[in-house]
């Protein structure tokens, strides 16, 4: 059973950057499409990005396209989300998860504990 752990959240000022990390364990290395979603208090879960198992393709929501970049780590069971030009509305708990096909649907089957990102001055 795959387990996922997100980390790297924190407090950042508007316009700032943050990089989140995700580590997957317990499953075949490199076989999963991994991605990120977030959930803010009182709001529905929002899919942000998915990357294919080979990291050959990446898909983003319109909300974050151009600001966030998803990348697979060298170890293949790691993944990152580079977040630039952060806005207060990006404040949420961020989760990494295994993406369902089709990957552009930005939906997820498995996820672990999230990491809090707060964008505030």
């Amino acid at each position: 059973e795959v387990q996922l752990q997100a980390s790297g959240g924190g407090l950042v000022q508007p316009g700032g950057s943050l990089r989140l990390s995700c580590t997957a364990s317990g499953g075949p290395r490199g076989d999963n499409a991994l991605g990120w979603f977030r959930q803010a208090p009182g709001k529905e879960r929002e899919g942000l990005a998915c990357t294919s198992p080979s990291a050959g393709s990446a898909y983003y929501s319109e909300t974050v396209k151009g600001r966030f970049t998803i990348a697979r780590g060298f170890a293949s069971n790691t993944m990152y989300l580079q977040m630039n030009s952060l806005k207060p509305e990006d404040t949420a708990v961020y989760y990494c998860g295994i993406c369902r096909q089709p990957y552009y649907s930005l939906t997820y089957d498995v996820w672990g504990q999230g990491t809090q990102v707060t964008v505030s001055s």
Side-chain angles (χ1 to χ4, degrees):
E1 180 181 342
V2 177
Q3 294 182 328
L4 300 160
Q5 179 66 54
S7 61
L11 174 64
V12 62
Q13 293 187 342
S17 299
L18 207 58
R19 190 176 85 151
L20 305 183
S21 300
C22 175
T23 301
S25 60
R29 294 171 66 89
D31 284 357
N32 294 306
L34 299 178
W36 295 91
F37 64 93
R38 67 188 180 190
Q39 188 158 24
K43 294 188 177 180
E44 293 188 356
R45 182 186 305 167
E46 180 185 9
L48 303 176
C50 279
T51 181
S52 62
S54 66
S57 300
Y59 306 89
Y60 297 93
S61 72
E62 289 300 319
T63 305
V64 304
K65 188 180 293 183
R67 298 191 297 127
F68 292 9
T69 303
I70 189 171
R72 299 294 288 251
F74 177 76
S76 79
N77 65 329
T78 57
M79 178 187 58
Y80 305 97
L81 185 69
Q82 177 66 43
M83 305 186 295
N84 299 326
S85 302
L86 284 162
K87 307 173 182 179
E89 50 263 44
D90 293 319
T91 295
V93 179
Y94 285 68
Y95 300 85
C96 59
I98 296 176
C99 299
R100 295 175 182 165
Q101 293 199 39
Y103 302 138
Y104 60 78
S105 69
L106 301 181
T107 55
Y108 310 85
D109 276 328
V110 179
W111 56 89
Q113 286 189 328
T115 185
Q116 175 71 46
V117 172
T118 302
V119 184
S120 175
S121 56

